Amino acid sequence: QGYFGQQSTQPQTLGYGLTDSPVGLLAWIYEKLVLWTDNYNWSDDEVLTWISLYWFSRAGPAASLRIYFELRGDCEDMGRNPTIPMGASFFPKEVLVLPAAWLRNSNNVVFESHHKTGGHFAATERPEELVRDVQKMFAKGSPAFAIVPGRTGINIG
């Protein structure tokens, strides 16, 4: 919660620190990579790739902080009860694990999967499971099959 509080109130202050110091950026990102995973063993190359994505991007390290500031405002303009089919993959070590019923209550959830392991960086920690979830959600016969006009979804044998 402190992480969200910092970024949602004064993101630019933190952004200056992360932009000014590669070591500061490394410490900030590495902490999240370690604490927000389910005991995933990051290789040096993976850590350096994450740091490089922030450091060398045109927008710079501070760009990732702004969304938290924007989210703290009034969210009424986001609409209520979207009709677009949505899928959700739940990983137990995610930073914030909300009850699935909350998501179902206010969204058109057509696919839901609960995993035994994994955290915030599930695409890195549990890529096969996440890919299977996407394939199941868009597979022939699923509620999200052919949701995109002109596309036929995923045909899984």
Side-chain angles (χ1 to χ4, degrees), residues 9-147:
T9 56
Q10 300 295 325
Q12 200 58 43
T13 304
L14 180 57
Y16 290 134
L18 298 178
T19 302
D20 184 59
S21 171
V23 174
L25 179 64
L26 171 64
W28 180 259
I29 299 294
Y30 187 74
E31 173 190 61
K32 280 63 178 165
L33 293 176
V34 172
L35 295 179
W36 294 359
T37 58
D38 195 2
N39 297 314
Y40 182 77
N41 187 19
W42 294 96
S43 72
D44 290 345
D45 282 346
E46 288 173 316
V47 171
L48 291 174
T49 297
W50 275 95
I51 305 308
S52 295
L53 288 172
Y54 286 84
W55 189 257
F56 295 116
S57 74
R58 180 175 295 205
S64 65
L65 309 173
R66 183 73 188 185
I67 187 70
Y68 297 91
F69 180 77
E70 300 297 333
L71 280 173
R72 80 183 235 290
D74 184 11
C75 293
E76 291 297 316
D77 62 344
M78 292 175 65
R80 296 209 182 266
N81 299 326
T83 58
I84 298 170
M86 176 185 165
S89 296
F90 294 92
F91 294 88
K93 298 294 182 173
E94 176 57 91
V95 177
L96 178 63
V97 180
L98 299 174
W102 290 7
L103 189 64
R104 281 187 241 114
N105 188 42
S106 60
N107 295 280
N108 182 17
V109 177
V110 299
F111 177 82
E112 187 176 311
S113 181
H114 296 263
H115 300 275
K116 294 180 180 175
T117 60
H120 186 69
F121 301 99
T124 299
E125 297 174 77
R126 313 298 302 165
E128 296 85 9
E129 291 177 31
L130 198 55
V131 166
R132 273 194 302 272
D133 288 352
V134 171
Q135 288 174 332
K136 287 178 188 175
M137 181 178 163
F138 292 99
K140 189 172 186 174
S142 74
F145 180 75
I147 188 75

